[in-house]
Amino acid sequence: MKRFIMYILLTAIICILVINAQQSITFAHEAVSICLEMIIPTLFPFFICSGLLIYSGFCEVLAKLFRFCMKPLFRIGPAGSSAFILGIVSGYPLGAITAGELYANSYLTKTEAERLLAFCNNSGPLFILGSVGIAVYSDLHIGIMLYIAHILAALTVGIIFRFYKKNDYTAPPSHMTSPKRSIGEIFNIAVQNAVSSMLTVCAAVMFFSVISRLVLNLIPLNPEADAILSGIMEFVTGTLKISALNTAIGKKLILTSLIVGFAGLSVHAQVMAVISKYGLSLKPYLLGKLLHGIIAALYTLLYISRFPITATVFAPSMSKAFAAASAYELVFAAAVVIGCIVFAVALFIKEKKALKIYEKDFNH
């Protein structure tokens, strides 16, 4: 039945492409421009850096640094911290790619990698602070607020997914020592993997961009529905359309937070393309991104309900009211992060005590 539905969809897509050949070519040219001007310059260096970190053994160093929180807080091996860090620094879809590489190199078990996929694939600060905050809404502080909500939502999803397959026994990784390689070998492997991943990502962007725009042109929608549906399909286009809506800025920011957190089907197609070779289930990833969007929107709503936003608040000259709000959001974010750290340390101590009791009983 699934294959039959897939055949129908593929046939429909081919018909749409043939009927709208000229538009398809135009949209494809624009997608290629996006890849050449935005995606490759911003992601390719991070892809290489990710490979260098993994194959040089730096994940082992990160594992020691983040041992106190990754396992207790998320039930994920400490090496998984590299995927989360790279995900929040570089943006989609590097976090997911790094999680797959960690599993392939036996730093994580399959269950741990699937838990990690649920919250490590995030939008980077360059997009949220620069593109959304400065370019779209003309104020860096909007970007800061949205980015804080985005990261807090990712942490929240990670804590929720610590209960994913909680009864499964996860054996420790088969090794935590990287094979000895020369710098030249490490760089060669990192570049080859980066090129392969980059081609996959660009192909997914190009295909999904063309198809989604052709389909949306066939559906009559009001501006708000069109913006939301565009965001569900491709979050960059959706963000631009939401910012242009004739509605309250608070509502636009909540919708933007939802769309950026969910990431859009285009990003999910990229992740599916690059993760399929690892044999990991994508169900936790898709559910995690849905929860991420909803929770990020709720955090944004909570902030706006505490500090109502108007267009004048976000004028180039920031008001005292917004200055207080900015301080509040930083305090709130710090409180949540500190709370997560305290919770992680408490769980870590609890697990250590339980392990000592177990070892004591075993020896007796």
Side-chain angles (χ1 to χ4, degrees), residues 351-363:
E351 287 186 4
K352 293 287 280 186
K353 287 182 178 179
L355 181 60
K356 287 182 179 179
I357 294 172
Y358 172 78
E359 289 176 346
K360 186 177 180 181
D361 293 341
F362 181 79
N363 292 329

Side-chain angles (χ1 to χ4, degrees), residues 111-133:
T111 299
E112 288 175 332
E114 289 172 353
R115 287 176 188 150
L116 186 58
L117 280 174
F119 70 99
C120 74
N121 197 46
N122 301 301
S123 182
L126 288 178
F127 176 75
I128 297 181
L129 299 180
S131 300
V132 178

Side-chain angles (χ1 to χ4, degrees), residues 236-302:
V236 177
T237 304
T239 299
L240 293 172
K241 288 187 176 182
I242 288 171
S243 67
L245 291 174
N246 185 22
T247 186
I249 189 169
K251 184 177 181 180
K252 290 195 282 189
L253 293 180
I254 292 170
L255 290 175
T256 298
S257 196
L258 172 67
I259 294 303
V260 173
F262 177 66
L265 298 180
S266 177
V267 169
H268 302 336
Q270 298 169 36
V271 172
M272 290 177 187
V274 296
I275 292 298
S276 59
K277 61 182 177 182
Y278 301 117
L280 299 172
S281 172
L282 285 168
K283 290 180 181 178
Y285 165 75
L286 294 172
L287 179 58
K289 293 314 297 176
L290 178 61
L291 286 175
H292 190 162
I294 294 171
I295 294 171
L298 288 175
Y299 278 137
T300 305
L301 175 62
L302 285 173

Side-chain angles (χ1 to χ4, degrees), residues 4-20:
F4 180 70
I5 295 173
M6 182 181 70
Y7 295 152
I8 293 176
L9 289 175
L10 290 175
T11 302
I13 289 172
I14 292 172
C15 291
I16 292 173
L17 287 171
V18 172
I19 294 171
N20 301 278

